[in-house]
Amino acid sequence: MIEKFLEYLKSEKRYSELTIKAYQKDLECFYDYINDILNKKIAQVSKKDIRNYMVFLSEKGKKPQTINREISALKTYFKFLEYIGEVESRPTSSIKSLKTQKKISIPLSIKEMDKLLDRELFSNDWVGDRDYLVLQLLYETGIRRAELIGLDFKDIDFSQKQIKVLGKRNKERIIPVRDDILLSIKKLREKSPFSEIMEAIFTTEKGKRIYPKLVYNVVSSYLRLVTNKKKVSPHILRHSFATGMLNNGADINVVKELLGHSSLASTQVYTHNDIGQLKKVFNQSHPRETKK
């Protein structure tokens, strides 16, 4: 039944390969639990069993965020089972997520980004050009790591100064880019020993498309040279892009479209202005102040 569900996620819901693998792992763990501990079939699982499973996961040392993710996978799975008639009702329907402590992610400062995008920080060869463009695109467009990996030269429109990105669930979006990025792409293509045989913009030194771990290593290695922040993943560049755009007056709906968010709530996590800026806007915009 799991195989049927995963195929449904792939063909009907168009989930990414990484998401499908995560669902598969979560469901296999759940089946081990109901088979080995509960000795039940999937159609016999009750709401109490789901709650006990959450306790079981917690006792194994899993964090609330991880448990919530696994329960989310179960909710989607049982919804599918109900749809195809394998279960009469969903035991997960009224299960609430565990409360989690929100982590405040601090974006990179303009000073840190200026240091990071100093070309002298990178080697003067094709690899240096590649690494520089990786950081440029992640920060200046806010694209996701997977979107960056999937970029091909055909996705670049030099005349319109824009790139086409394939986001989550195979949704395409167009993002405007600055001349600096277009120049970096042209430079990389001229130097690349693989541009004639590879469609991908970013490749390894062996001519294969880059992979998530390599992007993480590139970003983290250079970020450690310019910042003392503990979190130096590719996402911090996306976070810094969104925060910078909003702080400089960009409409939140525009930022939502640029980031490829399906809901405004996802974009609102970047609206954490500091108290000084809030006071400034308050004093300038308050109806009582504008009368003075």
Side-chain angles (χ1 to χ4, degrees):
M1 194 58 65
I2 293 181
E3 291 78 11
K4 204 172 184 180
F5 172 66
L6 298 177
E7 182 57 34
Y8 163 76
L9 294 182
K10 182 180 179 180
S11 59
E12 298 291 331
K13 304 297 286 184
R14 297 180 180 241
Y15 280 19
S16 70
E17 188 176 336
L18 287 175
T19 302
I20 291 172
K21 285 182 178 179
Y23 271 66
Q24 181 177 5
K25 184 180 178 182
D26 292 341
L27 290 175
E28 286 173 351
C29 289
F30 180 67
Y31 266 93
D32 287 342
Y33 175 78
I34 63 173
N35 290 333
D36 300 339
I37 297 179
L38 300 183
N39 194 25
K40 283 186 175 183
K41 293 181 179 180
I42 193 72
Q44 298 173 317
V45 173
S46 65
K47 187 186 302 182
K48 183 179 179 181
D49 293 330
I50 300 294
R51 286 174 176 161
N52 287 338
Y53 182 59
M54 294 172 75
V55 174
F56 171 77
L57 293 175
S58 179
E59 289 175 346
K60 287 183 67 176
K62 293 197 175 185
K63 296 180 180 179
Q65 293 94 329
T66 304
I67 296 173
N68 288 340
R69 192 206 72 227
E70 295 195 29
I71 297 304
S72 177
L74 289 180
K75 286 183 176 182
T76 306
Y77 182 56
F78 274 105
K79 189 175 182 179
F80 169 76
L81 293 180
E82 185 182 44
Y83 173 72
I84 63 174
E86 288 293 324
V87 297
E88 292 183 3
S89 61
R90 287 173 278 154
T92 55
S93 59
S94 60
I95 298 294
K96 294 182 179 180
S97 299
L98 299 176
K99 289 185 178 181
T100 59
Q101 185 176 4
K102 291 185 178 180
K103 293 182 179 179
I104 300 176
S105 181
I106 302 174
L108 295 164
S109 66
I110 295 176
K111 187 176 180 180
E112 287 171 329
M113 285 310 309
D114 286 342
K115 288 181 181 179
L116 182 66
L117 295 178
D118 183 348
R119 189 59 185 81
E120 294 183 2
L121 203 63
F122 303 79
S123 60
N124 192 28
D125 55 13
W126 167 72
V127 173
D129 289 342
R130 181 201 66 187
D131 293 352
Y132 182 69
L133 182 56
V134 164
L135 294 164
Q136 256 191 317
L137 273 169
L138 288 173
Y139 174 65
E140 294 199 25
T141 66
I143 60 175
R144 302 177 178 93
R145 175 170 53 177
E147 295 168 346
L148 176 122
I149 291 171
L151 277 178
D152 292 333
F153 285 111
K154 64 179 175 59
D155 298 322
I156 313 301
D157 189 330
F158 289 93
S159 62
Q160 296 297 319
K161 297 183 180 182
Q162 61 191 30
I163 62 174
K164 182 174 67 176
V165 172
L166 187 63
K168 288 185 175 181
R169 302 186 186 180
N170 289 333
K171 290 183 179 179
E172 288 186 353
R173 69 183 188 279
I174 303 297
I175 302 175
V177 291
R178 300 189 314 116
D179 289 336
D180 287 352
I181 285 183
L182 296 175
L183 188 63
S184 294
I185 293 173
K186 288 179 180 178
K187 188 177 180 182
L188 181 67
R189 190 169 198 174
E190 290 170 1
K191 283 190 178 182
S192 173
F194 312 109
S195 61
E196 293 184 3
I197 59 175
M198 281 290 292
E199 294 181 349
I201 293 178
F202 298 106
T203 62
T204 67
E205 293 175 73
K206 293 183 178 180
K208 296 182 178 181
R209 191 181 291 271
I210 56 172
Y211 47 92
K213 184 63 176 176
L214 177 57
V215 177
Y216 179 87
N217 289 341
V218 168
V219 172
S220 62
S221 63
Y222 285 103
L223 278 177
R224 287 194 178 97
L225 298 177
V226 302
T227 183
N228 292 322
K229 290 182 174 62
K230 292 182 179 180
K231 192 172 182 179
V232 288
S233 68
H235 185 76
I236 196 173
L237 296 175
R238 178 173 163 88
H239 182 93
S240 300
F241 162 79
T243 303
M245 291 286 288
L246 291 167
N247 285 348
N248 285 322
D251 184 273
I252 191 170
N253 287 292
V254 173
V255 177
K256 169 183 171 290
E257 294 301 317
L258 289 172
L259 294 174
H261 285 158
S262 57
S263 69
L264 198 60
S266 300
T267 315
Q268 287 172 335
V269 299
Y270 301 116
T271 58
H272 50 268
N273 296 322
D274 59 58
I275 189 63
Q277 186 173 0
L278 288 174
K279 285 180 179 178
K280 183 179 178 181
V281 173
F282 177 86
N283 291 329
Q284 289 177 344
S285 306
H286 196 281
R288 297 294 295 176
E289 286 293 323
T290 56
K291 288 184 178 180
K292 294 180 181 179

